[in-house]
Short mmCIF file of all heavy atoms in Angstrom, two decimals:
data_model
loop_
_atom_site.label_atom_id
_atom_site.label_comp_id
_atom_site.label_asym_id
_atom_site.label_seq_id
_atom_site.Cartn_x
_atom_site.Cartn_y
_atom_site.Cartn_z
N LEU A 414 32.82 50.84 -11.95
CA LEU A 414 33.11 51.35 -10.61
C LEU A 414 31.97 52.13 -10.06
O LEU A 414 31.67 52.08 -8.85
CB LEU A 414 34.40 52.17 -10.69
CG LEU A 414 35.68 51.44 -10.97
CD1 LEU A 414 36.84 52.39 -11.40
CD2 LEU A 414 36.11 50.62 -9.77
N LEU A 415 31.33 52.91 -10.88
CA LEU A 415 30.13 53.66 -10.43
C LEU A 415 29.06 52.72 -10.02
O LEU A 415 28.32 52.96 -9.03
CB LEU A 415 29.64 54.61 -11.57
CG LEU A 415 30.47 55.79 -11.93
CD1 LEU A 415 29.92 56.50 -13.18
CD2 LEU A 415 30.56 56.78 -10.79
N GLY A 416 28.89 51.61 -10.79
CA GLY A 416 27.89 50.57 -10.41
C GLY A 416 28.16 49.98 -9.05
O GLY A 416 27.25 49.70 -8.28
N ILE A 417 29.44 49.72 -8.75
CA ILE A 417 29.80 49.16 -7.46
C ILE A 417 29.48 50.15 -6.31
O ILE A 417 28.91 49.79 -5.28
CB ILE A 417 31.28 48.75 -7.40
CG1 ILE A 417 31.48 47.66 -8.41
CG2 ILE A 417 31.70 48.33 -6.00
CD1 ILE A 417 33.02 47.26 -8.63
N LEU A 418 29.80 51.40 -6.52
CA LEU A 418 29.50 52.45 -5.53
C LEU A 418 27.95 52.56 -5.35
O LEU A 418 27.50 52.65 -4.21
CB LEU A 418 30.08 53.79 -5.95
CG LEU A 418 31.56 53.99 -5.70
CD1 LEU A 418 32.07 55.24 -6.42
CD2 LEU A 418 31.85 54.06 -4.21
N ALA A 419 27.25 52.56 -6.48
CA ALA A 419 25.77 52.66 -6.38
C ALA A 419 25.19 51.49 -5.66
O ALA A 419 24.26 51.61 -4.86
CB ALA A 419 25.25 52.80 -7.79
N ALA A 420 25.71 50.26 -5.91
CA ALA A 420 25.22 49.08 -5.27
C ALA A 420 25.46 49.14 -3.78
O ALA A 420 24.62 48.68 -2.94
CB ALA A 420 25.89 47.85 -5.85
N GLY A 421 26.54 49.71 -3.37
CA GLY A 421 26.82 49.87 -1.94
C GLY A 421 25.77 50.74 -1.26
O GLY A 421 25.31 50.43 -0.14
N ALA A 422 25.35 51.79 -1.93
CA ALA A 422 24.35 52.72 -1.36
C ALA A 422 23.03 52.02 -1.23
O ALA A 422 22.33 52.05 -0.21
CB ALA A 422 24.21 53.96 -2.21
N LEU A 423 22.60 51.33 -2.27
CA LEU A 423 21.32 50.59 -2.25
C LEU A 423 21.29 49.42 -1.28
O LEU A 423 20.33 49.13 -0.62
CB LEU A 423 20.92 50.08 -3.67
CG LEU A 423 20.57 51.22 -4.66
CD1 LEU A 423 20.47 50.65 -6.06
CD2 LEU A 423 19.27 51.89 -4.25
N THR A 424 22.47 48.77 -1.13
CA THR A 424 22.53 47.67 -0.14
C THR A 424 22.42 48.21 1.25
O THR A 424 21.76 47.57 2.12
CB THR A 424 23.88 46.94 -0.35
OG1 THR A 424 23.94 46.42 -1.66
CG2 THR A 424 23.99 45.82 0.65
N ALA A 425 23.02 49.38 1.53
CA ALA A 425 22.91 49.94 2.84
C ALA A 425 21.44 50.33 3.17
O ALA A 425 20.99 50.21 4.29
CB ALA A 425 23.75 51.21 3.00
N VAL A 426 20.72 50.69 2.13
CA VAL A 426 19.28 51.08 2.36
C VAL A 426 18.40 49.90 2.63
O VAL A 426 17.53 49.87 3.45
CB VAL A 426 18.75 51.85 1.10
CG1 VAL A 426 17.25 52.05 1.18
CG2 VAL A 426 19.42 53.20 1.03
N THR A 427 18.72 48.80 1.89
CA THR A 427 17.81 47.63 1.99
C THR A 427 18.24 46.54 2.94
O THR A 427 17.55 45.58 3.09
CB THR A 427 17.71 47.00 0.54
OG1 THR A 427 19.03 46.63 0.11
CG2 THR A 427 17.07 47.91 -0.42
N THR A 428 19.39 46.72 3.60
CA THR A 428 19.87 45.71 4.52
C THR A 428 19.57 46.09 5.96
O THR A 428 19.84 47.24 6.39
CB THR A 428 21.35 45.48 4.33
OG1 THR A 428 21.64 45.12 3.03
CG2 THR A 428 21.88 44.39 5.29
N ARG A 429 19.08 45.16 6.75
CA ARG A 429 18.85 45.36 8.14
C ARG A 429 19.50 44.15 8.90
O ARG A 429 19.50 43.00 8.44
CB ARG A 429 17.36 45.37 8.50
CG ARG A 429 16.68 46.63 7.94
CD ARG A 429 15.20 46.53 8.22
NE ARG A 429 14.86 46.54 9.61
CZ ARG A 429 14.72 47.64 10.39
NH1 ARG A 429 14.86 48.79 9.86
NH2 ARG A 429 14.44 47.52 11.66
N PRO A 430 20.06 44.41 10.07
CA PRO A 430 20.74 43.30 10.75
C PRO A 430 19.77 42.25 11.13
O PRO A 430 18.61 42.50 11.54
CB PRO A 430 21.31 43.97 12.02
CG PRO A 430 21.38 45.44 11.64
CD PRO A 430 20.18 45.65 10.75
N PRO A 431 20.19 40.94 11.08
CA PRO A 431 19.32 39.86 11.53
C PRO A 431 19.32 39.72 13.04
O PRO A 431 20.19 40.21 13.70
CB PRO A 431 19.96 38.67 10.85
CG PRO A 431 21.44 38.96 10.79
CD PRO A 431 21.48 40.51 10.59
N THR A 432 18.38 38.98 13.52
CA THR A 432 18.28 38.73 14.95
C THR A 432 19.11 37.48 15.37
O THR A 432 19.32 37.23 16.55
CB THR A 432 16.87 38.62 15.43
OG1 THR A 432 16.28 37.55 14.67
CG2 THR A 432 16.08 39.90 15.14
N THR A 433 19.44 36.66 14.39
CA THR A 433 20.21 35.43 14.65
C THR A 433 21.31 35.34 13.69
O THR A 433 21.26 35.84 12.58
CB THR A 433 19.30 34.21 14.54
OG1 THR A 433 18.81 34.13 13.22
CG2 THR A 433 18.22 34.21 15.57
N ASP A 434 22.41 34.62 14.07
CA ASP A 434 23.56 34.48 13.21
C ASP A 434 23.25 33.41 12.13
O ASP A 434 22.70 32.36 12.44
CB ASP A 434 24.78 33.97 13.99
CG ASP A 434 25.27 35.15 14.89
OD1 ASP A 434 25.01 36.26 14.64
OD2 ASP A 434 25.96 34.81 15.93
N PRO A 435 23.62 33.67 10.92
CA PRO A 435 23.45 32.66 9.85
C PRO A 435 24.40 31.53 10.02
O PRO A 435 25.46 31.70 10.63
CB PRO A 435 23.69 33.48 8.59
CG PRO A 435 24.68 34.54 8.98
CD PRO A 435 24.29 34.91 10.39
N PRO A 436 24.09 30.38 9.42
CA PRO A 436 25.03 29.24 9.52
C PRO A 436 26.21 29.48 8.71
O PRO A 436 26.27 30.36 7.82
CB PRO A 436 24.15 28.10 8.99
CG PRO A 436 23.21 28.77 8.06
CD PRO A 436 22.85 30.09 8.70
N ALA A 437 27.25 28.64 8.89
CA ALA A 437 28.50 28.79 8.14
C ALA A 437 28.21 28.45 6.68
O ALA A 437 27.28 27.73 6.31
CB ALA A 437 29.51 27.77 8.67
N ALA A 438 29.05 28.99 5.79
CA ALA A 438 28.86 28.83 4.38
C ALA A 438 28.94 27.34 4.00
O ALA A 438 29.89 26.65 4.42
CB ALA A 438 29.91 29.57 3.60
N PRO A 439 28.03 26.84 3.17
CA PRO A 439 28.06 25.44 2.84
C PRO A 439 29.07 25.06 1.75
O PRO A 439 29.32 23.92 1.53
CB PRO A 439 26.64 25.19 2.24
CG PRO A 439 26.25 26.50 1.71
CD PRO A 439 26.84 27.55 2.58
N ASP A 440 29.67 26.07 1.11
CA ASP A 440 30.53 25.74 0.00
C ASP A 440 31.99 25.91 0.36
O ASP A 440 32.87 26.08 -0.51
CB ASP A 440 30.20 26.63 -1.22
CG ASP A 440 30.28 28.09 -0.87
OD1 ASP A 440 30.58 28.46 0.25
OD2 ASP A 440 30.11 28.89 -1.83
N ALA A 441 32.36 25.95 1.61
CA ALA A 441 33.74 26.15 1.99
C ALA A 441 34.61 24.92 1.61
O ALA A 441 34.14 23.79 1.64
CB ALA A 441 33.81 26.35 3.53
N ASP A 442 35.86 25.23 1.27
CA ASP A 442 36.79 24.13 0.99
C ASP A 442 37.10 23.36 2.20
O ASP A 442 37.19 23.93 3.35
CB ASP A 442 38.09 24.74 0.41
CG ASP A 442 37.95 24.98 -1.07
OD1 ASP A 442 36.95 24.54 -1.65
OD2 ASP A 442 38.93 25.60 -1.64
N PRO A 443 37.43 22.10 2.06
CA PRO A 443 37.86 21.33 3.19
C PRO A 443 39.26 21.78 3.61
O PRO A 443 40.01 22.36 2.80
CB PRO A 443 37.90 19.86 2.66
CG PRO A 443 37.97 20.01 1.19
CD PRO A 443 37.21 21.24 0.87
N ALA A 444 39.55 21.62 4.88
CA ALA A 444 40.84 22.07 5.39
C ALA A 444 41.97 21.35 4.66
O ALA A 444 41.91 20.18 4.32
CB ALA A 444 40.91 21.80 6.89
N GLU A 445 43.03 22.09 4.43
CA GLU A 445 44.23 21.52 3.85
C GLU A 445 45.30 21.50 4.89
O GLU A 445 45.43 22.45 5.67
CB GLU A 445 44.68 22.34 2.66
CG GLU A 445 43.70 22.36 1.50
CD GLU A 445 44.22 23.04 0.29
OE1 GLU A 445 45.47 22.97 0.08
OE2 GLU A 445 43.48 23.62 -0.50
N PRO A 446 46.16 20.45 4.91
CA PRO A 446 47.22 20.35 5.95
C PRO A 446 48.12 21.56 5.97
O PRO A 446 48.66 21.92 7.04
CB PRO A 446 47.95 19.06 5.57
CG PRO A 446 46.96 18.31 4.73
CD PRO A 446 46.16 19.29 4.05
#
Side-chain angles (χ1 to χ4, degrees):
L414 292 165
L415 289 173
I417 296 172
L418 281 169
L423 290 171
T424 301
V426 170
T427 57
T428 302
R429 293 174 62 87
T432 57
T433 59
D434 291 337
D440 57 357
D442 274 352
E445 297 187 29

